[in-house]
Amino acid sequence: MHAYHLTAQTGPAALQRIELAEPTAGPGQVLVRVRALSLNYRDLMVADGRYGSVELPLVPLSDGAGEIAAVGAGVTNWKVGDRVAGTFFQAWTSGPFRRETLASALGGKLPGMAAEYVALSAEGVIAIPEYLSFAEAATLPCAGLTAWQALVTRGNVSADETVLALGTGGVSLFALQFARLHGARVIITSSDDAKLERARALGADATINYRSHPDWEKEVHRLTGKVGVDQIVEVGGTGTLAKSLRAIAAGGQVHLVGGVSGFSGEIPLLDIIGKMVVVRGIYVGSRGMFAAMNQAIAHRGLRPVIDRIFPFAELAQAYQHQISGAHFGKVVISV
Ligand SMILES: NC(=O)c1ccc[n+]([C@@H]2O[C@H](COP(=O)([O-])OP(=O)(O)OC[C@H]3O[C@@H](n4cnc5c(N)ncnc54)[C@H](OP(=O)(O)O)[C@@H]3O)[C@@H](O)[C@H]2O)c1
């Protein structure tokens, strides 16, 4: 079967298309015929070493969807043909997050989904909403679930709140969609006016170009009558956290998700203390949270936003496209 190996942590040029023996479903496992993959910023970081070292060569990518091709001994909850996605953390089914969970991340400590067939634990896959294509379903395991855990599982977002999403990448557009699903008002930022127009079409109530408004937190205050926003899905890191802590309302919640502009920096403690802000780390989510998210998605007929679908032979080009920042939503690869 065709698959990819990341052979060095020096960027997408180190991706090699290879032939691997087709795996078999061991006891307690299912064999998945992978049909679509999606890229996350995290995969770019794994590829260039910013995510820490991984065992090489590595089959990359956490996110994929497909159909069950075989079931191993003892598996009773799946049958051949079932449509599934893999879960980012194979070992986080429910309950609180534990450090050991980290060792079960696909395309990180464990081999990932960039292959025609993968053998996964029967607990490490989840049914996908029927009406979604494999391409759409492949966007859910990391970006979708991260936004869901932040705003819904932890944030308990409601219709009387205003949510701020930063940029128009994968996590942020899911944040926009899930906030709207719960009736919340959404403000979204981007470097690009055309992307902001598209965000409005998706339901954003107000938009800010963070290039033409480098002090975008002041715009947030203007748009909220000097109150600030109730929840922020913080994906920017170094370049945005201090501004987010200015833009948040008293008693608001800042979900620390990522750092597209870096993962360190100064923390203005007085903004956190003085406004009694809840600042919370978020790391993808559990299978139980994934199930709840899928239920809400199917109930409302929500469709993930796909920027572009690349063929499997062009995986490295897909990485380059996401690195360029030209994308709006998710970059997908068909298998
Ligand atoms: N903790 C977790 O579980 C988890 C899960 C998923 C992702 N993450 C992290 O979350 C971040 C986003 O991931 P992703 O996969 O959604 O990335 P992505 O799809 O590549 O999106 C990146 C987007 O961020 C925006 N951006 C870049 N610089 C910015 C800045 N200075 N201020 C505001 N926005 C900026 C750009 O939007 P415009 O083009 O519109 O300007 C860009 O397209 C990454 O740091 C990733 O590691 C964490």
Side-chain angles (χ1 to χ4, degrees):
M1 66 165 186
H2 296 301
Y4 275 90
H5 267 166
L6 181 71
T7 55
Q9 288 183 286
T10 51
L15 289 167
Q16 254 178 35
R17 196 161 178 211
I18 50 156
E19 282 292 322
L20 278 183
E22 201 177 294
T24 52
Q29 286 189 322
V30 293
L31 183 68
V32 179
R33 167 67 175 100
V34 179
R35 295 290 180 187
L37 304 160
S38 88
L39 266 179
N40 291 286
Y41 191 86
R42 174 258 197 183
D43 301 310
L44 313 182
M45 295 176 70
V46 170
D48 66 18
R50 280 179 294 156
Y51 207 76
S53 61
V54 293
E55 207 170 300
L56 297 171
L58 174 77
V59 176
L61 301 192
S62 59
D63 287 13
E67 63 228 321
I68 300 222
V71 295
V75 176
T76 53
N77 53 336
W78 297 112
K79 61 180 189 317
V80 171
D82 284 347
R83 300 169 80 248
V84 295
T87 61
F88 184 97
F89 289 121
Q90 290 285 287
W92 190 12
T93 49
S94 61
F97 180 72
R98 305 204 184 284
R99 286 292 290 175
E100 310 85 83
T101 305
L102 290 174
S104 73
L106 293 176
K109 293 290 180 213
L110 293 183
M113 299 292 288
E116 286 177 304
Y117 290 88
V118 293
L120 298 175
S121 153
E123 296 292 307
V125 294
I126 189 159
I128 54 178
E130 270 174 34
Y131 70 96
L132 291 185
S133 66
F134 288 121
E136 289 170 323
T139 67
L140 300 174
C142 179
L145 188 51
T146 301
W148 179 268
Q149 185 189 179
L151 288 177
V152 186
T153 316
R154 310 287 174 197
N156 204 16
V157 65
S158 62
D160 58 357
E161 291 190 316
T162 301
V163 168
L164 175 65
L166 302 179
T168 57
V171 172
S172 299
L173 288 192
F174 274 115
L176 160 60
Q177 289 182 297
F178 293 148
R180 291 298 301 130
L181 203 75
H182 288 79
R185 179 178 182 226
V186 176
I187 302 174
I188 191 164
T189 71
S190 176
S191 54
D192 181 331
D193 286 338
K195 290 183 179 181
L196 289 174
E197 269 309 303
R198 294 176 71 185
R200 271 193 186 274
L202 273 176
D205 299 277
T207 59
I208 305 170
N209 186 319
Y210 64 80
R211 285 266 158 77
S212 44
H213 292 282
D215 293 334
W216 50 262
E217 73 281 11
K218 292 183 181 155
E219 281 297 294
V220 171
H221 276 274
R222 190 183 63 76
L223 290 164
T224 55
K226 298 193 180 152
V227 172
V229 291
D230 302 289
Q231 300 201 40
I232 302 178
V233 180
E234 225 312 322
V235 298
T238 307
T240 57
L241 179 57
K243 290 172 179 293
S244 288
L245 288 167
R246 301 266 138 72
I248 195 78
Q253 305 181 63
V254 177
H255 308 285
L256 297 185
V257 163
V260 291
S261 62
F263 281 85
S264 59
E266 286 186 18
I267 302 172
L269 290 178
L270 284 178
D271 281 315
I272 300 174
I273 298 165
K275 291 194 281 188
M276 290 185 59
V277 176
V278 175
V279 180
R280 173 191 293 120
I282 292 287
Y283 207 172
V284 192
S286 69
R287 189 176 191 278
M289 295 172 201
F290 202 155
M293 174 180 77
N294 278 349
Q295 218 173 348
I297 286 174
H299 182 63
R300 291 298 192 88
L302 184 147
R303 300 211 95 106
V305 179
I306 293 177
D307 173 73
R308 189 164 155 190
I309 302 179
F310 287 81
F312 196 48
E314 293 178 14
L315 183 63
Q317 286 92 322
Y319 273 68
Q320 292 297 356
H321 180 62
Q322 182 140 351
I323 290 168
S324 79
H327 60 296
F328 177 84
K330 295 293 296 177
V331 177
V332 170
I333 300 99
S334 66
V335 183

